Amino acid sequence: MNHKTLKIIFLSYFILIFAGAFALMLPFTHVGHLKFIDAIFTSTSAVCVTGLIVKSTSEYFNFSGQFIILMLIQIGGVGYMSLVTLFFLFTKKNLNIHEKNLAKDSLNYSSNLEIQNFIKKVFLFTFVIEGVGIVLLTLHFSFQMSFFKALWEAIFHTISAYNNAGFSLFSDSLIGYNSDIWVIMILSLLIIFGGIGYLVLVELHAKAVSKRYMLSVHTKITLVGTAILLVSGTLLFLAIEWDNHDVFGNMPLWQRILNSFFLSVNFRTAGFNSVDLSTLSEPLLFCSTIFMMIGGGAGSTAGGIKITTVAVLIIVTIHTIKLSNQKPNLFKRTISSEVIQRASAIIIVASFVVMIATILLTETQHTGFMKTLFEAISAFCTVGVSVGNGGILSFSSDFDSFGKAMIILLMLIGRIGIFAFGFLIMGKEKVKHIQYPEGRILL
C-alpha cells in the first residue's frame, strides 16, 4: 500500500463527490430548493454506493438528476481509478508501476494476475451481469408500465443493485414488490454478485473454463461465508419477527421467507427494503448491526469490515482457545501474522469509529441510541438501510448540518476502507533496526 497512491484515490473521491454535488445543485436536475449539504450528502451516498437519502430520489430529482445519481453510483461502484486505468489501456499498451499501483489499491487487489487483464474482466463482467439484469427487469416491468419507463426503472435498479447502492425510484423502495418473486430474486442475485467481489467473479469464471483451476483461499472464504450469512440471516430474521404483524402482516409462509431472505441480503450490502424497517423490533435491529458490520467480500462494491476479516479472527480465536500447537490455518493454508494483525486492527478501529460517531450523534441530534447506532453503522458500512424519518427518507434527514456531515464522513471512511483511511492519516512508520526484548504481560 503506497501513501501517495492512497492520497490520489482519496482526492479522486473528494473531487467526484463535489462535482456530483454541484451537478445536482443545477436547477434543471431537481424540483424545489436543495441545500448544498443535502446535495453533498446525496452525492456522497451515491459515490460511496450507500443509499441513504435525505431527498426522495423519485420525487425530488427529475430524470437529469436521477441520471447524475446513477452515473455517480456506477463510477463509485467500479472505482474512479479503474475507469482511468481502462482509459490508459485503450490509449497505450502497457501501464507503468505507478498506474498499476493506483488501479490495484482502488480495487483492493493483491493477486498475482496481471492488473490489465483483471481490469478488463471487471468491466466485462459488470457489463454482462448488469445487461442481463436490465433485460430481465425490463421484460417484467413492461407489463406494469410503458416500455421506456420500464427500461429506465430496470437500468436504474439493476445498476443500483449490482453496485450495492440501494437507491430506488420507487417512493417506498421495494415494499410494493414484497410479493414479487421475480423482482426480489433478480435484485438479490445482482446484490450478491456485486457483493462477493471482482476477484471472486474472475476466479469463478476461470474455474468454469478450466476444472483444474484452483480457487484461492480468499474466494473460498468469501463464498462459504456469504452462504452462511445469507442462510443464518434469513432464519434469524424470520424467527425474531415471526409474530410481528407490523412487519409480515398476513403474509403466507413463502412470502415471509422471501422477505427475510431479502433482508438478509440487504442488511450486509445494499440499502433496499421490502418491509417497513421502522416496524422492526430492537432485537432485530441489534442483530442486523452485526451483519452490517461484517458486510460483503473484500474488493467488492459492498462495505463493512469484510467477510474475510471476520473469518480470520474466528479461526484465530478457535486456535487460541484450543491451545493448538499449529499455526492458524484455513482450507489447508496458514494464516500469516500480518493478516491476523491487520484483521484485529480493522475490527478494533472500526468499532471505535462507530462508537464515537454514535455517541456524538446521539448527544448532538438528541436521538434514540439504537436508531442512531443503526444509522451510523449503516453509513460506515455503506449499507444504506435506515429506520426512516417516519416517511420515505432516511433517519439522517432529521439531522442538522453537523449530523449530516458526520454521516457523510462515515460513508467516505467506510468506502475508502478503515485501514486505508488510517494509513492515509497516520502514514507509514519508518523502518527501525531495533528489536526490544519481550515483556511479560498477563491476559
Side-chain angles (χ1 to χ4, degrees):
M1 185 177 292
N2 185 279
H3 195 262
K4 181 180 179 181
T5 301
L6 284 178
K7 282 184 177 180
I8 296 175
I9 293 173
F10 179 77
L11 183 62
S12 69
Y13 272 104
F14 192 82
I15 293 174
L16 184 59
I17 287 171
F18 271 85
F22 281 115
L24 292 175
M25 287 290 291
L26 296 175
F28 60 84
T29 63
H30 62 273
V31 295
H33 176 67
L34 180 64
K35 295 181 180 178
F36 186 65
I37 185 66
D38 292 336
I40 287 287
F41 190 104
T42 303
S43 182
T44 305
S45 185
V47 171
C48 297
V49 290
T50 305
L52 293 174
I53 59 172
V54 290
K55 294 292 182 181
S56 173
T57 309
S58 60
E59 298 176 356
Y60 201 84
F61 296 99
N62 54 31
F63 177 79
S64 298
Q66 293 169 9
F67 182 79
I68 292 171
I69 291 173
L70 190 63
M71 289 300 98
L72 293 174
I73 291 172
Q74 186 71 86
I75 295 172
V78 299
Y80 171 75
M81 296 313 304
S82 300
L83 291 173
V84 173
T85 304
L86 186 67
F87 174 76
F88 285 156
L89 292 176
F90 278 110
T91 55
K92 58 183 181 179
K93 292 182 179 180
N94 297 314
L95 301 175
N96 59 42
I97 297 298
H98 179 61
E99 291 164 350
K100 288 181 179 179
N101 288 335
L102 277 174
K104 286 183 177 181
D105 285 344
S106 68
L107 288 171
N108 194 19
Y109 178 79
S110 59
S111 175
N112 293 324
L113 298 173
E114 275 294 325
I115 186 63
Q116 293 97 319
N117 294 330
F118 182 74
I119 290 289
K120 291 177 182 178
K121 289 182 178 180
V122 165
F123 282 94
L124 176 61
F125 290 144
T126 298
F127 178 79
V128 171
I129 294 173
E130 288 183 350
V132 172
I134 289 170
V135 170
L136 294 177
L137 287 179
T138 300
L139 290 174
H140 188 71
F141 288 148
S142 61
F143 290 103
Q144 307 165 8
M145 57 192 77
S146 66
F147 174 77
F148 289 107
K149 182 174 175 56
L151 178 62
W152 175 238
E153 296 282 0
I155 291 173
F156 192 95
H157 287 89
T158 294
I159 293 177
S160 181
Y162 179 69
N163 290 285
N164 284 211
F167 279 85
S168 176
L169 294 182
F170 303 124
S171 60
D172 60 353
S173 190
L174 294 173
I175 294 178
Y177 288 88
N178 61 21
S179 61
D180 194 321
I181 298 179
W182 184 270
V183 172
I184 295 296
M185 291 309 299
I186 289 175
L187 291 180
S188 294
L189 289 174
L190 288 169
I191 293 168
I192 293 170
F193 282 136
I196 59 178
Y198 298 119
L199 179 59
V200 176
L201 291 176
V202 170
E203 290 199 0
L204 287 177
H205 176 260
K207 183 68 174 178
V209 173
S210 174
K211 299 298 181 182
R212 294 184 178 182
Y213 183 86
M214 299 295 292
L215 296 176
S216 67
V217 176
H218 167 81
T219 294
K220 292 178 180 179
I221 294 175
T222 302
L223 292 176
V224 173
T226 297
I228 291 174
L229 290 170
L230 287 175
V231 174
S232 61
T234 301
L235 295 177
L236 180 65
F237 300 154
L238 188 64
I240 293 177
E241 299 296 337
W242 182 263
D243 294 326
N244 190 342
H245 292 288
D246 291 330
V247 176
F248 292 128
N250 296 318
M251 292 182 185
L253 177 61
W254 68 267
Q255 193 175 350
R256 294 188 180 199
I257 296 175
L258 178 68
N259 285 277
S260 293
F261 172 74
F262 197 60
L263 278 175
S264 181
V265 171
N266 281 274
F267 272 153
R268 291 191 309 106
T269 53
F272 294 111
N273 61 285
S274 58
V275 296
D276 186 357
L277 300 185
S278 65
T279 61
L280 297 179
S281 62
E282 287 205 347
L284 182 57
L285 290 179
F286 176 77
C287 290
S288 65
T289 60
I290 299 175
F291 282 84
M292 286 194 288
M293 282 293 289
I294 296 174
S300 71
T301 56
I305 59 178
K306 303 299 185 290
I307 293 173
T308 45
T309 303
V310 176
V312 165
L313 286 188
I314 290 176
I315 296 301
V316 170
T317 301
I318 293 174
H319 272 70
T320 302
I321 293 176
K322 292 172 64 177
L323 300 177
S324 175
N325 65 340
Q326 298 289 318
K327 289 186 177 181
N329 60 85
L330 195 57
F331 295 111
K332 298 182 180 180
R333 293 292 185 274
T334 299
I335 304 173
S336 69
S337 299
E338 181 185 358
V339 171
I340 295 173
Q341 292 169 1
R342 289 185 63 174
S344 302
I346 288 172
I347 289 182
I348 292 173
V349 177
S351 301
F352 180 78
V353 169
V354 168
M355 178 184 68
I356 295 299
T358 302
I359 293 174
L360 286 175
L361 288 171
T362 302
E363 292 300 315
T364 60
Q365 308 305 307
H366 308 291
T367 52
F369 177 77
M370 192 64 242
K371 290 184 177 180
T372 307
L373 175 66
F374 189 89
E375 192 83 358
I377 293 179
S378 181
F380 175 73
C381 298
T382 68
V383 178
V385 290
S386 177
V387 294
N389 68 333
I392 62 176
L393 304 180
S394 300
F395 190 52
S396 304
S397 62
D398 290 335
F399 292 174
D400 58 22
S401 296
F402 174 79
K404 290 176 181 177
M406 282 287 299
I407 297 295
I408 290 171
L409 181 60
L410 286 173
M411 289 190 286
L412 188 57
I413 295 175
R415 183 56 184 152
I416 295 175
I418 191 68
F419 193 84
F421 192 82
F423 181 73
L424 182 66
I425 295 175
M426 301 177 65
K428 187 176 182 178
E429 188 175 8
K430 295 181 179 179
V431 176
K432 295 180 180 179
H433 301 283
I434 300 175
Q435 185 172 350
Y436 297 105
E438 292 185 1
R440 185 182 179 185
I441 301 175
L442 300 179
L443 298 177

